Amino acid sequence: MINYIFKMFLTISSLLLSISVYFIAKGIYISDLGYPLFNNLNFIPSSIVYFVIVIVFTKISLLISNKIDSEQFDEGSFQSVEIANDAFLPSYLGYFFVSLSAASLSNTSNETFIFVFCIISVFIFCSRISYFNPVFLLLGYNFFYMVTNNNLKVIVITKSKVKKPSNFCSDKMKRINDYTFIDMEL
């Protein structure tokens, strides 16, 4: 059950930045909530609040990961490594373009955007590689493609600088799915 909650938070946090872009492009600000406290929260304050929400959800995801059993990878578990940060960027930019294009169409309703992002959420949740969240980069994490000694290509999200795969080890790897792990070592 905790793995399911963890994957849900990762999925949501990976999409929240795109949803924030949609809200800002569509002119949906915190002041639109109707509470007197929020009356002056237009473009810049709303942008900051939306970004803080993204960071909070990402941090919650990391906190939830501490409840998942750790897996251990000893030195020599991996035979090759390739940085994957740049490989995920085009997909993530695609989410931004969907957000901006949906917001720019005057005849597009918010329901259409919600429907499209629900479909994208399902694909991300079921995908083996789409837990890319650029906020992880801001928090010091990097994404690596690593090949195990069993010739299985996995994605490792870690704060470690992996230069030589045979030297990489961690006893605090959290399994997101069969092909994706996040290292909570540091």
Side-chain angles (χ1 to χ4, degrees):
M1 180 66 167
I2 194 73
N3 287 5
Y4 178 80
I5 293 169
F6 178 52
K7 285 175 65 173
M8 283 300 297
F9 264 88
L10 283 175
T11 301
I12 291 167
S13 66
S14 71
L15 285 175
L16 275 178
L17 202 53
S18 297
I19 293 169
S20 299
V21 167
Y22 175 80
F23 285 169
I24 295 299
K26 200 75 164 161
I28 301 171
Y29 302 125
I30 300 294
S31 59
D32 296 334
L33 294 175
Y35 295 107
L37 177 68
F38 301 137
N39 281 347
N40 296 322
L41 296 179
N42 290 321
F43 177 75
I44 291 178
S46 291
S47 299
I48 292 168
V49 168
Y50 293 152
F51 192 69
V52 167
I53 290 170
V54 172
I55 291 171
V56 166
F57 261 80
T58 302
K59 288 282 200 174
I60 290 171
S61 299
L62 294 173
L63 289 174
I64 293 172
S65 74
N66 289 321
K67 303 293 183 198
I68 297 173
D69 292 335
S70 293
E71 297 196 25
Q72 184 170 341
F73 286 94
D74 298 321
E75 271 192 46
S77 296
F78 297 101
Q79 59 180 307
S80 69
V81 63
E82 176 186 347
I83 189 101
N85 293 345
D86 298 337
F88 290 106
L89 216 43
S91 296
Y92 204 81
L93 288 174
Y95 301 155
F96 279 166
F97 292 132
V98 167
S99 299
L100 290 172
S101 64
S104 68
L105 299 172
S106 59
N107 61 348
T108 302
S109 65
N110 292 336
E111 291 82 12
T112 304
F113 175 77
I114 291 168
F115 177 73
V116 169
F117 264 79
C118 284
I119 291 171
I120 291 172
S121 297
V122 169
F123 288 142
I124 288 173
F125 186 82
C126 296
S127 172
R128 76 171 210 154
I129 62 168
S130 292
Y131 291 105
F132 179 74
N133 181 346
V135 175
F136 281 146
L137 298 174
L138 295 176
L139 296 175
Y141 287 89
N142 286 296
F143 291 72
F144 294 96
Y145 289 119
M146 297 178 80
V147 178
T148 67
N149 289 332
N150 298 332
N151 286 326
L152 180 66
K153 189 175 189 177
V154 296
I155 297 166
V156 174
I157 306 167
T158 181
K159 285 187 174 183
S160 298
K161 304 295 181 212
V162 182
K163 294 181 181 171
K164 192 172 181 186
S166 60
N167 291 345
F168 178 78
C169 63
S170 175
D171 61 351
K172 294 189 179 177
M173 295 289 275
K174 308 296 183 169
R175 180 185 295 269
I176 297 172
N177 59 33
D178 289 340
Y179 305 99
T180 310
F181 299 86
I182 186 163
D183 181 14
M184 301 306 293
E185 189 77 38
L186 299 175

